[in-house]
Each structure stands twice: as structure tokens, then as C-alpha cells.
Amino acid sequence: FVVGWSSLGSSPGVYTRRYASGAVPVGSDNLVSATGGGQPIGLDVDSDGDFVVAWQSPNSNISARKFTAAGVASGAEFQVNSPNPTGQTRARFVPRVGLAESGRVFVTWLQATPASPGFTNYGIWMREFRPDRSAEGAEIQVNSQAAGAGGAFGPSSVAVDGEGDIL
């Protein structure tokens, strides 16, 4: 199994550590990214032990990175969300991630909706990625909400079944 965390200590960043059965550590702490320390992360592992980690970067973007079961990065970290439109700021928080057996990655997060001055309305957003980390279409808002109703607030959750369907 894999444990992930973010740290603001003397070496800030996002880390993972792999464990064998019986909670025996395999190797040492693995630096996923030097950005994002102190923020909640999302992590999922497939049946082969490959895993993906997602986190909130300091600029309020959501980033992710895939790893093999041996803890070796499968490429560089990648930005999950679309860039902000010119002149807009969108706060993004609390990413969650699902990893399909095929290598497809699904990331959800809480985001201030564009029509919410002062970030009073929030929505749950999602984006899918192919095994090569390229996006499968644009990010989408998952929940629906009435204007001014406050919207969603709290962590989302994503699960992937054995056939790659998301729940």
C-alpha cells in the first residue's frame, strides 16, 4: 500500500511512502512535488500497485503525478484543471483521484464557481486523463446548484470500478 501526505516542514512538498504487507516500509519517503506542501492531497492505487497523487498547488491549480508500483514516476507532474480565463481567479481545493486498471485517471476537486464574486458559491469539478496523462476532454462541473444557494462545500469523492466506470 501507499501513504501520501503534504508537509510544510524543513522540506516542504508532497510525499509518498510505499509499504509491504504487515506495514513494512519499502524504501524511503518519495518526493512527488516540491510544491503543494500543507494542502490536502488525493491518492489512489490500482491492483498492480501503480498509483497517482493529486494536490493543490500554491497558485490554486490542481496538479497530479503517476507512479509505477516500484515508486518510479511515470512522467512529470501535470496540471489537472484548465488555465484560468484572463482576469479571473478561481480557488480550487481538496482534490480526490481515482485510478482505473487501464491507467485512466479521474480527478475531482472543489472549485469556486465563475459566477460567485467573493467565492461564495462552490462546485465539484472533474476531469479525465488517458493513460499517457493527456486530457480526455475539458473539465466539467459535476454538481448542479441554484444561483446563490451556496453550492457544494466539502471534499468530493471518486471511485473507479474494475471496468473503468466512475462512480
Side-chain angles (χ1 to χ4, degrees), residues 2 18 44-52 67-71 99 101:
V2 179
R18 296 176 304 118
D44 196 21
V45 181
D46 70 13
S47 64
D48 293 329
D50 299 332
F51 60 98
V52 63
F67 292 84
T68 67
L99 178 60
E101 295 299 319

Side-chain angles (χ1 to χ4, degrees), residues 86-109:
T86 303
Q88 288 189 14
T89 300
R90 296 184 181 170
R92 297 173 185 90
F93 312 93
V94 200
R96 296 294 184 252
V97 63
L99 178 60
E101 295 299 319
S102 66
R104 290 175 30 224
V105 174
F106 301 88
V107 183
T108 63
W109 65 93

Side-chain angles (χ1 to χ4, degrees), residues 66-157:
K66 291 176 70 176
F67 292 84
T68 67
V72 176
S74 301
E77 65 184 69
F78 56 98
Q79 184 172 319
V80 171
N81 58 278
S82 300
N84 288 335
T86 303
Q88 288 189 14
T89 300
R90 296 184 181 170
R92 297 173 185 90
F93 312 93
V94 200
R96 296 294 184 252
V97 63
L99 178 60
E101 295 299 319
S102 66
R104 290 175 30 224
V105 174
F106 301 88
V107 183
T108 63
W109 65 93
L110 179 66
Q111 177 175 304
T113 58
S116 59
F119 302 137
T120 55
N121 287 338
Y122 291 83
I124 302 297
W125 292 74
M126 185 203 77
R127 196 162 194 192
E128 177 183 354
F129 293 85
R130 297 178 189 99
D132 67 359
R133 301 179 331 275
S134 61
E136 182 74 48
E139 62 190 46
I140 60 168
Q141 186 169 356
V142 175
N143 68 311
S144 60
Q145 61 192 27
F153 194 82
S156 58
S157 186

